[in-house]
Amino acid sequence: PDDPAALHRRFERLGIQDRHRYLIGFTVAGLPLPADQVDAARALGRRLVRTGATASTVIAGIALLGRLGEPEDVPYLSVLGLLRDLTGPVINAHDILDRRPAAVVWLAVYPR
């Protein structure tokens, strides 16, 4: 689907709930993606992290950006990483895109 609300409705129909959020990230990260759909998938990932209303949809977007993101996506991911439920998926995405922000997010959330 090309928007967060449609993806959320699809998750609901499939019985996928926010408690499954980590499985969603791993699944999205491993999906086969035809070369002609990379730009559309990147745009969807950006839309999901910016406008997603549930943890599941945002994590799907984070997983897409971890796979297809560009340097311009790093600030959005860094902010989302400050939310404890999203810290792990964001750090995983940052590890692929840029490891320094992953360390900063980790230190901001787990200061001890």
Side-chain angles (χ1 to χ4, degrees):
D2 60 357
D3 75 282
L7 183 61
H8 180 68
R9 286 190 301 274
R10 184 171 290 178
F11 283 165
E12 283 180 339
R13 280 195 307 272
L14 294 172
I16 298 170
Q17 301 170 0
D18 279 348
R19 63 187 167 101
H20 300 119
R21 61 183 160 259
Y22 295 107
L23 294 173
I24 292 167
F26 290 122
T27 302
V28 169
L31 287 174
L33 184 64
D36 64 335
Q37 294 182 5
V38 169
D39 290 337
R42 182 181 302 113
L44 175 61
R46 288 176 176 155
R47 195 168 321 130
L48 292 173
V49 300
R50 294 174 188 177
T51 64
T54 65
S56 300
T57 55
V58 174
I59 288 173
I62 291 168
L64 284 170
L65 291 182
R67 189 172 165 188
L68 307 168
E70 297 173 331
E72 69 186 71
D73 301 310
V74 170
Y76 290 97
L77 293 173
S78 294
V79 169
L80 288 173
L82 298 177
L83 301 170
R84 282 202 188 258
D85 285 347
L86 302 177
T87 301
V90 166
I91 289 173
N92 292 338
H94 271 322
D95 274 344
I96 297 166
L97 293 173
D98 187 352
R99 297 194 95 184
R100 278 191 179 169
V104 171
V105 168
W106 192 90
L107 289 170
V109 174
Y110 305 107
R112 52 189 161 116

